[in-house]
Amino acid sequence: MATPEEFEAAAARAQQLPSKPNNMVLLQMYALYKQASEGDVTGDRPGGFDFKGIAKYDAWASLSGKSPDAARQEYVDLISSLFESA
């Protein structure tokens, strides 16, 4: 499992990606980060025309039940793979 230090390093490294990932990858990054750092999603799902908020909420909610440790490892692996494929 990735350590908290490796997770924070990956989060900092994500800000330096050579190219912007597509929206699906960005949502995956967001959801894994939130699951790793805060656990299961809380609060109400955004409504109305907040399409971005709804997409982010749904992506995070799709990871409900995943342990923060597993999410942290998947996040680190995802960021590493983005650099390898660049």
Side-chain angles (χ1 to χ4, degrees):
M1 288 289 147
T3 65
E5 293 79 19
E6 291 171 324
F7 175 70
E8 291 303 323
R13 197 171 174 215
Q15 302 300 315
Q16 302 165 352
L17 287 169
S19 61
K20 183 179 177 182
N22 67 45
N23 287 339
M24 292 306 294
V25 173
L26 288 173
L27 282 172
Q28 185 180 12
M29 289 169 58
Y30 172 82
L32 286 169
Y33 182 88
K34 295 293 274 184
Q35 189 70 19
S37 59
E38 297 182 29
D40 289 344
V41 68
T42 58
D44 295 329
R45 183 177 188 254
F49 293 101
D50 184 5
F51 300 116
K52 185 175 180 181
I54 291 168
K56 290 168 82 172
Y57 183 94
D58 289 349
W60 185 8
S62 74
L63 299 179
S64 288
K66 183 180 292 284
S67 75
D69 288 338
R72 187 168 44 241
Q73 183 63 54
E74 286 184 40
Y75 182 83
V76 169
D77 292 344
L78 175 60
I79 300 303
S80 293
S81 73
L82 291 173
F83 274 95
E84 290 169 7
S85 65

